[in-house]
């Protein structure tokens, strides 16, 4: 078992249908092979209180939800998840793999919903007390290809944000690409239109390099 003073905080981002689940499995596999202790979690959710907030946000019947309410609920669920699960794990030296984190709010609420990335960043900095991931993979794919994948996978529930227009999902992608420019050290863009095997190989390569850098 390798030892680190602090766990690594790794997040995974991508538009709907970008293949995050498959990539998460690959990352878990790499960490297991390298003997890194880790937990896998997701946003919004990951712990009871945050899962409850998630069910309010994503309920397809909640069409009346105001954009700022949505942004605040994501931030609230993020705070609870961070305080209750992510930070205690990192402090124990456990690496955390998280499906979505604050970049989702910047892309979806800040950019695509038009609330403004700066304002959404501000409420998120309050929620996270400035905590950023050590490494973020953004799985980049056109919304057309992403949504086609969702349509073909019957196992996945349809949530309120899936029901948004193609134009909304295009804005989400534009937002992510802008965020990746804002944080070039932290965010790696991965071409998610490639085959599953090619995407997995790229993730494996990049994650291995980062692990080497962080290991004592
Ligand atoms: P989920 O079912 O987890 O979708 P996915 O498999 O694509 O991750 O639903 C999460 C939805 O919430 C997804 O549409 C993205 C959206 N979201 C935001 O809009 N802002 C956020 O801060 C987060 C964390 C998620």
């Amino acid at each position: 078992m390798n030892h680190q003073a602090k766990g690594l905080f790794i997040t995974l981002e991508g538009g709907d249908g970008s293949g995050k689940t498959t990539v998460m499995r690959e990352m878990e596999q790499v960490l297991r092979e390298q003997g890194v202790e880790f937990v896998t979690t997701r946003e919004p959710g990951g712990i009871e209180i945050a899962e409850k907030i998630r069910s309010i946000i994503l309920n397809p019947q909640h069409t009346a939800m105001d954009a700022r309410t949505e942004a605040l609920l994501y931030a609230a669920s993020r705070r609870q998840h961070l305080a209750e699960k992510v930070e205690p794990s990192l402090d124990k030296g456990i690496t955390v793999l998280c499906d979505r984190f604050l970049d989702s709010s910047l892309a979806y609420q800040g950019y695509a919903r038009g609330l403004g990335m700066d304002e959404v960043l501000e409420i998120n900095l309050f929620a996270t007390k400035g905590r950023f991931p050590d490494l973020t993979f953004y799985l980049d794919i056109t919304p057309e290809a992403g949504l086609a994948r969702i349509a073909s996978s019957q196992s996945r529930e349809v949530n309120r944000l899936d029901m948004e227009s193609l134009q909304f999902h295009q804005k989400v992608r534009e937002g992510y690409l802008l965020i990746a420019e804002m944080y070039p050290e932290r965010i790696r863009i991965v071409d998610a239109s490639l085959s599953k095997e090619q995407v997995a190989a790229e993730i494996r390569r990049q994650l291995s390099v980062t692990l080497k850098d962080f290991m004592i």
Side-chain angles (χ1 to χ4, degrees):
M1 186 67 61
N2 289 310
H3 291 285
Q4 294 167 247
K6 286 245 177 199
L8 267 180
F9 184 24
I10 302 171
T11 62
L12 189 55
E13 296 284 350
D16 300 308
S18 58
K20 285 193 284 102
T21 310
T22 314
V23 165
M24 196 56 106
R25 298 293 89 81
E26 186 66 18
M27 292 205 288
E28 290 172 344
Q29 186 59 31
V30 172
L31 292 176
R32 266 194 292 272
E33 285 168 18
Q34 310 240 351
V36 177
E37 198 181 353
F38 68 93
V39 290
T40 305
T41 188
R42 71 163 180 182
E43 274 204 0
I47 40 126
E48 192 189 344
I49 295 172
E51 289 289 341
K52 284 186 175 158
I53 300 173
R54 174 191 175 90
S55 67
I56 297 172
I57 307 174
L58 295 179
N59 186 335
Q61 287 169 354
H62 291 173
T63 49
M65 190 176 291
D66 175 77
R68 282 172 188 255
T69 308
E70 182 181 279
L72 288 163
L73 286 174
Y74 277 118
S77 111
R78 177 159 305 128
R79 172 72 210 149
Q80 188 63 31
H81 179 241
L82 196 65
E84 203 180 317
K85 188 164 182 180
V86 177
E87 292 197 316
S89 300
L90 297 174
D91 288 344
K92 283 186 224 144
I94 299 170
T95 285
V96 176
L97 291 182
C98 189
D99 184 348
R100 298 192 181 280
F101 190 61
L102 99 165
D103 299 315
S104 284
S105 282
L106 299 181
Y108 283 78
Q109 283 67 50
Y111 195 78
R113 285 255 190 264
L115 290 178
M117 292 226 233
D118 290 347
E119 281 189 65
V120 173
L121 180 59
E122 217 171 286
I123 59 163
N124 274 279
L125 290 177
F126 173 74
T128 63
K129 286 178 142 185
R131 160 78 72 174
F132 280 91
D134 298 302
L135 174 69
T136 299
F137 288 112
Y138 166 54
L139 304 182
D140 184 38
I141 192 164
T142 64
E144 289 87 345
L147 294 177
R149 275 189 191 164
I150 291 180
S152 67
S153 98
Q154 279 137 10
S155 58
R156 192 182 175 287
E157 80 203 61
V158 172
N159 71 47
R160 196 168 54 81
L161 278 91
D162 295 338
M163 292 160 26
E164 291 289 341
S165 65
L166 190 60
Q167 198 190 3
F168 177 84
H169 292 284
Q170 267 151 359
K171 291 217 82 169
V172 169
R173 182 177 184 221
E174 271 172 48
Y176 270 125
L177 292 171
L178 286 171
I179 299 160
E181 271 176 31
M182 279 159 52
Y183 302 104
E185 296 299 309
R186 171 172 68 84
I187 303 182
R188 310 284 152 77
I189 301 175
V190 175
D191 181 354
S193 69
L194 299 172
S195 71
K196 268 188 186 175
E197 292 71 25
Q198 285 170 307
V199 173
E202 180 59 15
I203 293 287
R204 174 170 285 272
R205 192 184 66 75
Q206 298 224 27
L207 184 55
S208 303
V209 171
T210 303
L211 287 174
K212 241 186 230 149
D213 289 348
F214 274 85
M215 288 299 171
I216 297 169

